[in-house]
Amino acid sequence: VSRATGCGNRIFVETPQGYAVLDRLAGGMVGKDDQVSGDFNKPGRATLKDKQTGAELTVFVEDFMLSRAAANRKMTTLCNGAQ
Protein backbone atom coordinates (compact mmCIF):
# COMPACT_ATOMS: atom_id res chain seq x y z
CA VAL A 1 0.00 0.00 0.00
CA SER A 2 1.52 3.29 -1.11
CA ARG A 3 -1.05 5.53 0.51
CA ALA A 4 -4.38 5.22 2.35
CA THR A 5 -4.28 7.83 5.13
CA GLY A 6 -6.10 11.06 4.32
CA CYS A 7 -7.68 9.60 1.18
CA GLY A 8 -11.14 8.76 2.51
CA ASN A 9 -11.96 5.26 1.27
CA ARG A 10 -9.30 5.34 -1.47
CA ILE A 11 -6.32 3.01 -1.28
CA PHE A 12 -3.29 3.39 -3.57
CA VAL A 13 -1.43 0.13 -4.23
CA GLU A 14 1.81 -0.33 -6.16
CA THR A 15 1.74 -3.48 -8.29
CA PRO A 16 4.25 -4.93 -10.78
CA GLN A 17 2.00 -3.57 -13.56
CA GLY A 18 1.79 -0.05 -12.10
CA TYR A 19 -0.35 1.66 -9.49
CA ALA A 20 -3.96 0.76 -8.73
CA VAL A 21 -6.54 3.06 -7.15
CA LEU A 22 -9.03 1.13 -5.04
CA ASP A 23 -12.21 2.40 -3.40
CA ARG A 24 -12.91 0.51 -0.15
CA LEU A 25 -16.53 -0.67 -0.08
CA ALA A 26 -16.48 -2.93 2.99
CA GLY A 27 -14.09 -4.47 5.46
CA GLY A 28 -11.26 -3.28 7.65
CA MET A 29 -8.63 -0.62 7.20
CA VAL A 30 -5.20 -0.96 5.63
CA GLY A 31 -2.15 1.12 6.40
CA LYS A 32 0.78 2.49 4.42
CA ASP A 33 3.36 -0.22 3.64
CA ASP A 34 0.88 -3.05 4.33
CA GLN A 35 1.22 -5.85 1.80
CA VAL A 36 -2.04 -6.74 0.12
CA SER A 37 -3.07 -9.32 -2.45
CA GLY A 38 -5.92 -9.45 -4.92
CA ASP A 39 -6.72 -8.96 -8.60
CA PHE A 40 -6.31 -5.23 -9.25
CA ASN A 41 -5.65 -5.42 -13.00
CA LYS A 42 -9.22 -5.01 -14.19
CA PRO A 43 -12.01 -2.58 -13.30
CA GLY A 44 -14.82 -3.60 -10.95
CA ARG A 45 -15.20 -5.30 -7.60
CA ALA A 46 -12.32 -7.23 -6.09
CA THR A 47 -11.40 -8.82 -2.77
CA LEU A 48 -8.24 -7.51 -1.12
CA LYS A 49 -6.42 -9.46 1.58
CA ASP A 50 -4.10 -7.63 3.99
CA LYS A 51 -1.12 -9.89 4.77
CA GLN A 52 -0.27 -8.00 8.00
CA THR A 53 -3.70 -8.14 9.67
CA GLY A 54 -5.41 -10.97 7.77
CA ALA A 55 -8.32 -8.60 7.07
CA GLU A 56 -10.37 -9.04 3.92
CA LEU A 57 -11.80 -5.98 2.21
CA THR A 58 -14.19 -5.56 -0.67
CA VAL A 59 -12.92 -2.87 -3.00
CA PHE A 60 -13.85 -1.33 -6.33
CA VAL A 61 -10.89 -1.06 -8.72
CA GLU A 62 -11.26 2.52 -9.89
CA ASP A 63 -8.06 2.74 -11.90
CA PHE A 64 -5.13 0.42 -12.60
CA MET A 65 -1.79 0.20 -14.43
CA LEU A 66 -1.07 3.86 -13.66
CA SER A 67 2.44 5.29 -13.85
CA ARG A 68 3.95 6.74 -10.68
CA ALA A 69 3.36 10.27 -12.03
CA ALA A 70 -0.32 9.55 -12.77
CA ALA A 71 -0.78 7.96 -9.35
CA ASN A 72 0.84 10.98 -7.68
CA ARG A 73 -1.55 13.32 -9.54
CA LYS A 74 -4.53 11.26 -8.33
CA MET A 75 -3.18 11.31 -4.75
CA THR A 76 -2.85 15.09 -4.93
CA THR A 77 -6.46 15.35 -6.15
CA LEU A 78 -8.09 12.73 -3.89
CA CYS A 79 -6.05 12.92 -0.69
CA ASN A 80 -5.30 15.62 1.85
CA GLY A 81 -2.37 16.23 4.18
CA ALA A 82 0.99 14.55 4.42
CA GLN A 83 1.58 10.92 3.52
Side-chain angles (χ1 to χ4, degrees), residues 16-50:
Q17 294 79 26
Y19 285 82
V21 182
L22 312 175
D23 191 3
R24 184 173 56 86
L25 302 175
M29 301 297 287
V30 295
K32 183 173 176 10
D33 297 328
D34 279 5
Q35 294 205 349
V36 295
S37 60
D39 185 3
F40 314 132
N41 295 312
K42 64 181 189 287
R45 289 173 76 103
T47 300
L48 176 145
K49 177 116 172 140
D50 187 325

